[in-house]
Amino acid sequence: DAKTTQPTSMDCAEGRAANLPCNHSTISGNEYVYWYRQIHSQGPQYIIHGLKNNETNEMASLIITEDRKSSTLILPHATLRDTAVYYCIVRGTNAGKSTFGDGTTLTVKP
Amino acid sequence: EAGVAQSPRYKIIEKRQSVAFWCNPISGHATLYWYQQILGQGPKLLIQFQNNGVVDDSQLPKDRFSAERLKGVDSTLKIQPAKLEDSAVYLCASSLDPDRWQPQHFGDGTRLSIL
């Protein structure tokens, strides 16, 4: 499975867009990119996933570069409740296997 | 729908004792995962079941950890004997059909402290 690289931490002002980058330069053609987040004392929560095209749901948008070597998770209007650790994961051909890195700690500030 | 249920929420034991965790996945989810999450790190996969068969247990310390998923529904993870380095949160997750790229849904975990 492809490994991912994320910044250790990021800050964002409340009400502004939070853009979280992820590098997955060794991604294979059939591997999806998934994003999860983990709020303190809770299990990871699924946010969004994509293969090639940009995706949007009620929580966030996912922008995947054309060469698929990197992606960006966008929280359009960050709130204090979005403070969490965000994990970018690439899932390989072994059905369901996901390797989590240490994620990005996003702190949304008033 | 009901989420992934785990119990107990917290457990404190002394080293060399044994402990067991229980997980009830989302109804109809064929795949079940156990992860270990050490403080400050991302979750590490211990074992993955597809129905009641093991798909991947390559990172399970088999000399002390065991897991089973009887009847392809509930699962238990056991540690015997526990070591200090086993202090962590143990997360259970399930997914509907990972071959169709369905995401994993996680429980809130069991926080294990070894004294």
Side-chain angles (χ1 to χ4, degrees):
Chain A
D1 296 323
K3 300 297 184 192
T4 60
T5 304
Q6 299 177 252
T8 301
S9 63
M10 294 182 63
D11 291 342
C12 178
E14 187 178 21
R16 304 297 294 269
N19 297 286
L20 292 91
C22 180
N23 181 283
H24 32 80
S25 58
T26 60
I27 192 170
S28 298
N30 64 347
E31 291 178 324
Y32 279 68
V33 180
Y34 290 77
W35 283 84
Y36 292 80
R37 73 180 183 184
Q38 187 172 27
I39 296 170
H40 183 61
S41 296
Q42 297 181 19
Q45 174 193 25
Y46 165 75
I47 301 173
I48 197 167
H49 73 286
L51 181 64
K52 295 181 182 178
N53 301 319
N54 299 336
E55 302 287 344
T56 296
N57 63 21
E58 65 278 4
M59 291 182 67
S61 295
L62 174 60
I63 309 297
I64 302 174
T65 57
E66 191 170 344
D67 64 6
R68 303 208 325 120
K69 293 184 177 182
S70 65
S71 61
T72 301
L73 179 74
I74 301 172
L75 308 178
H77 305 286
T79 71
L80 299 179
R81 288 177 293 180
D82 292 322
T83 292
V85 179
Y86 287 76
Y87 295 101
C88 166
I89 297 140
V90 174
R91 192 155 82 184
T93 55
N94 183 350
K97 184 172 183 176
S98 301
T99 301
F100 284 76
D102 292 336
T104 296
T105 299
L106 174 69
T107 303
V108 180
K109 298 184 175 181
Chain B
E1 64 181 1
V4 176
Q6 290 189 247
S7 67
R9 191 79 171 88
Y10 303 93
K11 190 73 177 179
I12 301 173
I13 62 172
E14 294 185 348
K15 60 182 179 183
R16 291 188 289 273
Q17 286 187 323
S18 62
V19 64
F21 314 125
W22 173 82
C23 173
N24 180 242
I26 293 173
S27 177
H29 281 199
T31 306
L32 185 146
Y33 314 77
W34 282 102
Y35 288 85
Q36 179 191 59
Q37 186 172 26
I38 293 172
L39 186 64
Q41 299 181 15
K44 182 182 87 171
L45 180 68
L46 293 176
I47 188 166
Q48 176 184 338
F49 292 94
Q50 182 79 7
N51 296 308
N52 61 352
V54 175
V55 173
D56 183 356
D57 62 358
S58 57
Q59 298 194 90
L60 186 73
K62 298 180 186 62
D63 58 333
R64 298 183 301 104
F65 286 64
S66 64
E68 60 182 8
R69 191 183 184 197
L70 300 177
K71 301 180 181 179
V73 181
D74 293 4
S75 177
T76 57
L77 176 70
K78 297 179 181 178
I79 307 175
Q80 182 179 10
K83 292 185 175 181
L84 293 175
E85 61 259 34
D86 298 332
S87 291
V89 175
Y90 290 86
L91 296 162
C92 179
S94 68
S95 63
L96 181 61
D97 181 355
D99 285 338
R100 295 184 182 181
W101 313 110
Q102 296 294 321
Q104 298 176 52
H105 298 268
F106 286 80
D108 285 336
T110 296
R111 182 175 299 276
L112 175 66
S113 297
I114 312 293
L115 304 178

